[in-house]
Amino acid sequence: MPRTTDPDEDDHPDTHPPQPVYYAEQALLGALLLQPHHLNDTTEIEPDAFSHPAHRALFTAIRTLAAPDPAQHAKNTKWLDEALATAREHTRGLTASYLHTLIQNCPSPSHASAYARMIETDHARRTLEHHAHHLTQTATDATLSQPVAATLAAADALTACLADLAARFPPHPGSLPRTPAPPPPQAQDADDEAVDEERFLLATATAHPAETAQMRWLTVQDFTHPLHAGLWQCLTALTRRGAPVDPVTVLWEAQQRGLLTAGVEPAGLLNLLTATAGSPQYWGERILQRSLLTTAHETGRRIEAYTDDPATTPYQLVIGSRRALADLNALRTRWDHATSPTPPGSRPTRTRAATPPRAGPPRTATPPTTRISR
């Protein structure tokens, strides 16, 4: 194959060699420049499918111009000159010699539809990668005032992208992606804010077990600290059985479940379970929000790993990404249950001391520092 000439190349060496799709773009454009009637074989591809700006501009110009008479096109370069002039209005550095390079680098103009499909496939991968990266970034953006709403909107956009890909690329056998999931982040101690929220939840849930019974949308997988997840199981088990709930009964249940291991002292647990502040609903929503955002971040990373593997076909991307989104969708359902207004009469009425508003209760108590190992 002749040397590839980049219309934007300069004296600096290229540290990023072209990917296979670059040559597919060259081959398609060469086919259309040599035999413009093959444009009818590329009706499903749009200019934004091209990865290179100059290629995008040239394809747009070819679609804009009326097709030349085949006999005249074989005799002169008038139509090629018009295509070049039109494309130059939108990109710099495009030359007549590069158009001839495109024509030389086209193995067979009759294969234009195959080249177009290759370009469309790579564009689908890049588009999905963009949505997955946006989901990953949104889930960890601490500047957002409504992080859950923004994250779920990003997930919706990704889901819509998958629906579009599924419609354009038919299923085929062996559709599961072979790309391994990215390794989880290195294990670290749960951050202090998450630990505080879980401790406040356990204390307030112990003080208000009737509210705890209404919080089935919160599961042990939402907790960052294993001991806290175990204590939540103790609380929910007691409320399901209709057993008395107070710090001592929870402590006894914890003993029965083998939670009193080395470093977990009974006095420390009692101290933890009595440091109340706010309401169980508020702290439960905080914990569930953290779990949802963490899951969204992991989902985005997993889909990005699929898009980074060039051996993954478009439909494998669809199947693998939908499976990756399943856990996030389940969390979304639980979030909707947690934050939806409670219908009148569905929750027992109880009189209790006023609690701070759910929008942000002041911390009237500091979580006890115990000898419980993290």
Side-chain angles (χ1 to χ4, degrees), residues 197-199 201-202 218-226 228-230 232-233 287 291:
E197 290 170 356
E198 293 173 5
R199 289 178 172 178
L201 170 67
L202 294 170
L218 191 66
T219 70
V220 294
Q221 287 78 21
D222 300 320
F223 288 78
T224 62
H225 196 298
H228 298 165
W232 182 249
Q233 284 185 312
I287 294 168
S291 179

Side-chain angles (χ1 to χ4, degrees), residues 121-181:
T121 297
D122 193 77
H123 178 245
R125 186 187 315 281
R126 297 196 312 272
T127 302
L128 183 59
E129 181 181 26
H130 166 77
H131 284 291
H133 184 70
H134 180 59
L135 175 62
T136 302
Q137 295 298 311
T138 304
T140 55
D141 189 347
T143 66
L144 296 173
S145 58
Q146 299 291 333
V148 172
T151 298
L152 293 180
D156 287 340
L158 194 155
T159 300
C161 174
L162 291 174
D164 179 63
L165 296 188
R168 290 191 288 121
F169 296 93
H172 53 80
S175 293
L176 290 178
R178 299 180 295 273
T179 310

Side-chain angles (χ1 to χ4, degrees), residues 16 61 85 122 125 144 147 156 218 235 271 288 304 322 331 370:
H16 301 284
D122 193 77
R125 186 187 315 281
L144 296 173
D156 287 340
L218 191 66
L235 277 162
N271 191 28
L288 185 59
E304 282 187 272
R322 284 177 171 172
L331 260 168
T370 69

Side-chain angles (χ1 to χ4, degrees), residues 179-194:
T179 310
Q186 292 183 352
Q188 298 178 348
D189 291 338
D191 63 75
D192 292 339
E193 185 178 12

Side-chain angles (χ1 to χ4, degrees), residues 97-110:
S97 63
Y98 186 66
L99 266 60
H100 289 289
T101 298
L102 294 175
I103 294 173
Q104 292 173 359
N105 288 355
C106 176
S108 175
S110 63

Side-chain angles (χ1 to χ4, degrees), residues 146-149 152 217-218 281-282 284-292 328-340 358:
Q146 299 291 333
V148 172
L152 293 180
W217 38 264
L218 191 66
Q281 176 78 17
Y282 173 79
E285 288 184 17
R286 294 277 296 180
I287 294 168
L288 185 59
Q289 172 177 305
R290 187 182 302 276
S291 179
L292 187 150
L328 179 58
N329 290 334
L331 260 168
R332 181 180 197 158
T333 299
R334 292 197 283 123
W335 174 258
D336 289 341
H337 289 165
T339 57
S340 298
R358 282 172 49 189

